[in-house]
Amino acid sequence: MTQALPKLFTFNEFSEWYPNDGKRYELHKGVIFEMPPPTGSHEKVVGFLSQKLTVEFDRLNLPYGIPKTALVKTPTAESAYLPDVLLLNLNNLDNEPLFQKQSTVSQAASVPIVIEVVSTNWRDDYYNKFSDYEEMGIPEYWIADYAALSARKLIGNPKQPTIFVCELVDGEYQMTPFQGNTAISSPTFPQLSLTAQHIFDAAN
């Protein structure tokens, strides 16, 4: 007996379905996933990174902001993600057809930086979201693997906490790893004073 395929949702169906139950959901290639509650360490890293970026864009007087909750809709796959840190270019939001009603962005011009703080579903950050953010053309994507959860082929053997800064170059992400007291190099914020260890320490 053939098992029936689960229903695949379009983004519009997902948006209409999204319940107001205090839980977080993402759409991955038409499949709805409930996001597990984050750990305290995860949230401390998210808060620390949000603070550091806010101080920097405020210092530079840039028209940026970090929303509490907003979705990033990918251009071709029926996917919509809730990044851990989403830096928005507020000047482009008038061009976003879904932002006012659905708090959703779909244009690279709206997203200078997107950050995912790695948890147990690390493959999503390193593979699915990596390829979708790349295809979307988001210029800078950080993967903050503060607890060294991902594969040894990515972060070394023995595993080391690592921050990857992925810069879009000719349509493809170039991944640069940062560990220990190495200063993080951000194309968007070249004067950002931050080391990988600062981020790891924020989790404690």
Side-chain angles (χ1 to χ4, degrees), residues 63-114:
Y64 293 167
I66 297 176
K68 180 181 178 182
T69 305
L71 285 162
V72 174
K73 181 183 179 296
T74 62
T76 55
E78 288 291 349
S79 297
Y81 302 128
L82 285 167
D84 289 308
V85 181
L86 177 61
L87 184 65
L88 292 180
N89 177 358
L90 305 181
N91 282 351
N92 195 63
L93 295 184
D94 286 344
N95 301 319
E96 288 282 1
L98 302 172
F99 189 77
Q100 285 300 327
K101 290 187 177 181
Q102 297 166 304
S103 187
T104 299
V105 295
S106 58
Q107 300 173 9
S110 298
V111 187
I113 295 178
V114 63

Side-chain angles (χ1 to χ4, degrees), residues 16-148:
E16 291 173 4
W17 165 90
Y18 206 104
N20 186 20
D21 60 4
K23 298 178 182 179
R24 301 167 73 244
Y25 300 90
E26 290 186 338
L27 186 67
H28 292 215
K29 294 179 171 58
V31 179
I32 295 173
F33 286 86
E34 179 183 346
M35 309 309 292
T39 65
S41 294
H42 181 282
E43 289 301 272
K44 285 197 285 186
V45 170
V46 169
F48 177 78
L49 288 169
S50 298
Q51 178 190 28
K52 288 296 180 182
L53 293 185
T54 299
V55 168
E56 190 66 4
F57 71 68
D58 188 59
R59 182 182 71 82
L60 296 170
N61 198 30
L62 293 170
Y64 293 167
I66 297 176
K68 180 181 178 182
T69 305
L71 285 162
V72 174
K73 181 183 179 296
T74 62
T76 55
E78 288 291 349
S79 297
Y81 302 128
L82 285 167
D84 289 308
V85 181
L86 177 61
L87 184 65
L88 292 180
N89 177 358
L90 305 181
N91 282 351
N92 195 63
L93 295 184
D94 286 344
N95 301 319
E96 288 282 1
L98 302 172
F99 189 77
Q100 285 300 327
K101 290 187 177 181
Q102 297 166 304
S103 187
T104 299
V105 295
S106 58
Q107 300 173 9
S110 298
V111 187
I113 295 178
V114 63
I115 299 177
E116 298 290 357
V117 178
V118 175
S119 53
T120 52
N121 56 339
W122 59 267
R123 288 176 179 83
D124 288 338
D125 301 327
Y126 280 96
Y127 298 113
N128 296 338
K129 294 180 181 180
F130 179 96
S131 62
D132 285 339
Y133 292 153
E134 180 182 65
E135 181 191 14
M136 187 174 169
I138 293 175
E140 189 171 340
Y141 170 37
W142 292 24
I143 304 173
D145 199 348
Y146 73 95

